[in-house]
Amino acid sequence: SAHGSYTTQNKLPADFAWGFATASYQIEGAYDEDGRLPSIWDTFSKTPGKVEDGTNGDVACDSYHRTHEDIKILKQYGAQVYRFSLSWSRIIPLGGRNDPVNAKGLEFYSKFIDDLNAAGIEPVITLYHWDLPDELLERYGGALNQEEFVADYANYARIVFKSFGHKVKRWITFNEPWCSSVLGYNTGKHAPGRTSDRTKNPVGDGAREPWIVGKTLLIAHGTAVDIFRKEIKPTHGGEIGITLNGDWAEPWDPEDPADIEASERKIEFAISWFADPIYHGKYPDSMVKQLGDRLPAFTPEEIALVKGSNDFYGMNHYCANYIRHREGEPEPDDAAGNLDHLFEDKFGNPIGPETNCEWLRPNAIGFRKLLKWLSDRYGYPKIYVTENGTSIKGENDLPLEELLKDDFRVQYYSDYIGAMADASAIDGVNVKMYMAWSLLDNYEWSEGYQTRFGVTFVDYENGQKRIPKKSALTLGEIFNNHVSKE
Ligand code: PNW
């Protein structure tokens, strides 16, 4: 099987750094403390029927009160970097550029950054990991309103850069804009849970919503990068980029040109939607061809802002799919590229074993192939893997002792890190950093708490106690074996 078969002696470069990733709403809890107001995820998770187990992030891992425990385990595991996100709702509780700034929110993160730096762990900060202040959705429709959203995000970003730019060197503007656009405005699986409803869309044709949101996020990204480069970088240095999610796509019928083309298109609809404007100054041809003027056009000024706006490519990657083309015309709101995702190819070969997530099947070779694909298309940029990891089927139902022996996850990391080492050593991919998702079991969005992605078990029934799983203690060893010593 594809799982558990990847071995290599190849090495990553000596200056390679690794660590873990989390996100504010998934771990912090303390939802109403020290001035924080609701984000769209507070509202969404408390709307009946939206989250599988009906849970929310009110308490989560209680990391707001347990920063010292989190730093302690990071050190224990040997992490060199820690990627976490800021809750916009703690810093500007109402969200807007004319709304009050909450000193307590800034103080919380300031102290956390200091403590990480003091522990020798480099903070990597995501400005936006999906938890938009709810007021901005109510006020003007959130990211559907480009002008307002960009102005408010720019204000938030500037406040954060001015507060922390002297002690944080790596910044991520947005986590996975594809998820915000498609899961938030097309399938409705994520907040704000819109499904291209034409009757309620404040800006017109509802079936355009995902692409309007995608464009807004790109412009907001470019604007924040511009602020960072003009106002912060000259004095403090540092790097900034966006994090994009993307799975590998393998043709269902390896000999059918239509499936080969659909596989390419699938990656373009997920990744190149955002990465082509950033690296090439335009949308991918396949999207223009299918969507026509549903794709909101860029002005020349907007393209100038977005093109060249990545100091590094932030890559979130989990899995692969077999892709089969569809016959006939795509639906007007089809955001996938007129194709189907399958777990078996034409000959019945599985793409990988099942996990606890319907969408996730491990396939380490796909990671290597996608690293190469990205490098070829975008000119061998510096890549930071900002998320990679797996859930395990039925993990939540296991007795603690068995749950802690997460050999499936150990195998996943060992295979994926090996594949990354080959991408680096053989394919010439410029990958320099890796963050495992996740440091902790946490709030897995619409799957609630039953799906665990952590290398650390969090006992939600027992004061959010943290207990390392086998994978937590193995990652350091894997990197020790795979990072060159010279
Ligand atoms: C990413 N999908 O989300 C996020 O950045 C994390 O916050 C999340 O916990 C992690 O991956 C694991 O899911 C995704 O349905 C959520 O295809 C859903 C999908 C992809 C990524």
Side-chain angles (χ1 to χ4, degrees):
S1 98
H3 196 60
S5 60
Y6 208 101
T7 50
T8 178
Q9 298 302 314
N10 276 321
K11 305 282 187 224
L12 294 157
D15 61 349
F16 193 90
W18 72 276
F20 297 92
T22 60
S24 48
Y25 190 68
Q26 295 182 273
I27 67 162
E28 285 180 357
Y31 74 107
D32 63 352
E33 275 181 56
D34 294 337
R36 184 187 182 279
L37 289 176
S39 74
I40 57 173
W41 264 96
D42 293 78
T43 317
F44 185 77
S45 63
K46 289 170 189 179
T47 307
K50 299 296 187 189
V51 174
E52 279 170 31
D53 58 3
T55 55
N56 58 57
D58 281 3
V59 181
C61 307
D62 195 31
S63 284
Y64 190 74
H65 300 116
R66 288 163 201 274
T67 53
H68 290 287
E69 290 177 42
D70 290 349
I71 292 173
K72 200 181 113 201
I73 55 176
L74 282 163
K75 278 207 81 157
Q76 183 194 344
Y77 303 164
Q80 298 161 308
V81 294
Y82 180 48
R83 170 181 180 235
F84 60 99
S85 78
L86 307 182
S87 159
W88 186 342
S89 305
R90 289 195 194 283
I91 294 170
I92 310 170
L94 289 166
R97 56 203 181 277
N98 299 313
D99 297 318
V101 176
N102 179 25
K104 284 199 167 145
L106 286 172
E107 269 162 38
F108 168 73
Y109 290 117
S110 181
K111 176 91 174 43
F112 184 53
I113 292 163
D114 290 344
D115 291 347
L116 278 170
N117 280 327
I121 298 159
E122 190 198 316
V124 176
I125 292 188
T126 312
L127 288 172
Y128 184 88
H129 199 122
W130 306 350
D131 43 357
L132 179 75
D134 193 59
E135 168 67 15
L136 301 185
L137 186 74
E138 305 300 323
R139 210 178 264 174
Y140 55 72
L144 282 175
N145 189 325
Q146 181 184 316
E147 210 179 301
E148 291 290 333
F149 183 96
V150 171
D152 284 346
Y153 179 80
N155 170 70
Y156 161 63
R158 181 179 274 116
I159 288 168
V160 168
F161 295 150
K162 290 226 145 89
S163 307
F164 309 134
H166 59 295
K167 53 191 186 187
V168 174
K169 292 297 157 231
R170 289 187 176 89
W171 299 93
I172 294 158
T173 53
F174 287 92
N175 179 70
E176 303 187 344
W178 179 91
C179 286
S180 299
S181 306
V182 174
L183 304 182
Y185 288 82
N186 181 247
T187 68
K189 243 188 89 136
H190 282 184
R194 292 181 65 84
T195 51
S196 303
D197 183 339
R198 285 156 209 268
T199 60
K200 297 202 190 101
N201 183 355
V203 292
D205 181 355
R208 290 173 194 268
E209 286 190 2
W211 299 290
I212 293 169
V213 168
K215 186 195 164 200
T216 297
L217 300 182
L218 269 171
I219 304 304
H221 156 79
T223 306
V225 170
D226 191 52
I227 292 171
F228 182 79
R229 287 178 178 167
K230 286 186 175 136
E231 300 174 23
I232 304 298
K233 207 165 175 165
T235 25
H236 300 296
E239 305 182 295
I240 191 162
I242 196 168
T243 278
L244 304 177
N245 57 298
D247 309 331
W248 177 245
E250 200 66 42
W252 178 78
D253 178 348
E255 292 186 346
D256 183 343
D259 284 354
I260 295 169
E261 206 184 315
S263 301
E264 189 81 358
R265 191 162 71 238
K266 140 84 195 186
I267 302 177
E268 290 173 346
F269 269 69
I271 292 175
S272 310
W273 175 3
F274 303 99
D276 275 16
I278 291 173
Y279 290 93
H280 300 152
K282 60 185 188 66
Y283 289 121
D285 293 342
S286 60
M287 290 187 78
V288 175
K289 187 169 170 227
Q290 181 185 313
L291 300 167
D293 65 5
R294 284 180 188 289
L295 265 184
F298 296 106
T299 66
E301 293 75 30
E302 287 173 338
I303 275 298
L305 193 65
V306 168
K307 195 177 175 192
S309 58
N310 256 0
D311 293 335
F312 58 83
Y313 181 102
M315 176 184 188
N316 284 1
H317 179 77
Y318 288 89
C319 56
N321 285 105
Y322 288 117
I323 299 300
R324 189 168 59 196
H325 75 282
R326 279 189 192 165
E327 299 292 346
E329 284 300 300
E331 291 297 315
D333 65 345
D334 171 42
N338 207 25
L339 50 87
D340 288 311
H341 301 74
L342 297 153
F343 297 131
E344 286 185 358
D345 71 4
K346 184 185 174 176
F347 313 102
N349 299 313
I351 193 80
E354 283 184 61
T355 67
N356 210 53
C357 302
E358 189 267 315
W359 55 273
L360 201 173
R361 307 281 161 114
N363 178 286
I365 188 75
F367 186 27
R368 181 174 165 193
K369 289 179 182 174
L370 187 60
L371 282 161
K372 176 77 161 49
W373 189 96
L374 288 173
S375 299
D376 284 339
R377 191 173 180 107
Y378 300 119
Y380 286 73
K382 179 159 65 184
I383 296 177
Y384 295 158
V385 177
T386 44
E387 284 180 27
N388 177 239
T390 191
S391 62
I392 302 176
K393 194 172 170 63
E395 188 181 21
N396 193 41
D397 303 321
L398 294 173
L400 181 60
E401 211 179 306
E402 278 178 52
L403 187 154
L404 295 178
K405 288 191 217 120
D406 59 340
D407 289 307
F408 184 92
R409 185 172 285 107
V410 170
Q411 190 68 57
Y412 178 98
Y413 281 127
S414 153
D415 290 345
Y416 272 70
I417 294 162
M420 177 172 66
D422 277 356
S424 173
I426 302 172
D427 306 331
V429 166
N430 186 18
V431 58
K432 282 296 172 67
M433 199 181 271
Y434 175 97
M435 287 155 273
W437 185 273
S438 180
L439 177 65
L440 303 164
D441 288 338
N442 60 45
Y443 185 62
E444 181 49 23
W445 308 112
S446 51
E447 293 181 38
Y449 293 101
Q450 348 145 39
T451 293
R452 296 174 177 270
F453 269 89
V455 300
T456 309
F457 173 75
V458 175
D459 192 345
Y460 299 113
E461 254 90 76
N462 197 352
Q464 329 308 102
K465 191 172 156 48
R466 284 118 163 91
I467 307 173
K469 302 178 192 174
K470 188 173 169 184
S471 57
L473 308 167
T474 314
L475 262 173
E477 251 176 72
I478 299 174
F479 277 103
N480 214 18
N481 291 331
H482 276 303
V483 176
S484 158
K485 307 284 184 290
E486 298 97 63

